[in-house]
Amino acid sequence: MTAPTMRFDALLLPGMDRAVGHARRWLRDVLGREHPRLDDAALCMSELLTNALRYTESGRDGQIRVEVTYSARAVRIEVIDDGRAATVPHVAEAADLDVTGRGLRIVASIATAWGTERRGTGHAVWFEL
């Protein structure tokens, strides 16, 4: 049996709201419209990008780097922020009527694995499908 061929791509985005839509289109181009994990990967990536924009320096005139490693069946995405968040990325408790606070809970429920790593002054939040 041969191991699946893993590929790698990366994207550097400006820290602005429209970056999320741009990243989703980029991911569709990278993985291809027929990739079996495209929709889940796009949703999880969007949640991580939104968190980076909302809670770190990335969203205050900074940047976000997205790295994707993938094969025909598997996907690993890392979202690397500029840092200076008040807390380490974590699954938050959200009340029933809260509008925010469910991003990492969504990622944790969809991904086969996820986690965080320090990267310079920021964090890389990653997930695998």
Side-chain angles (χ1 to χ4, degrees):
M1 178 199 276
T2 60
T5 301
M6 298 301 288
R7 296 188 172 125
F8 175 84
D9 209 330
L11 177 67
L12 187 62
L13 297 160
M16 53 184 57
D17 289 340
R18 67 182 174 166
V20 177
H22 179 75
R24 288 175 72 95
R25 290 185 293 278
W26 169 80
L27 185 64
R28 183 184 62 229
D29 290 343
V30 168
L31 295 181
R33 292 179 189 268
E34 302 303 318
H35 195 284
R37 302 313 306 257
L38 174 61
D39 292 338
D40 289 340
L43 173 60
C44 291
M45 180 189 66
S46 295
E47 294 296 337
L48 299 185
L49 286 168
T50 299
N51 284 350
L53 288 168
R54 182 171 288 149
Y55 300 116
T56 74
E57 288 296 312
S58 293
R60 294 180 276 287
D61 295 323
Q63 296 179 326
I64 304 170
R65 181 176 169 88
V66 179
E67 297 179 354
V68 60
T69 306
Y70 63 101
S71 69
R73 292 193 173 127
V75 178
R76 177 185 168 101
I77 293 179
E78 295 187 25
V79 174
I80 304 155
D81 63 52
D82 282 345
R84 295 187 188 87
T87 63
V88 173
H90 64 282
V91 175
E93 292 297 323
D96 290 343
L97 298 178
D98 287 349
V99 177
T100 62
R102 293 178 180 81
L104 283 178
R105 186 170 308 283
I106 291 169
V107 173
S109 70
I110 294 172
T112 56
W114 77 278
T116 64
E117 300 171 4
R118 285 293 280 159
R119 294 283 177 89
T121 60
H123 288 92
V125 184
W126 58 269
F127 65 89
E128 296 174 352
L129 301 168

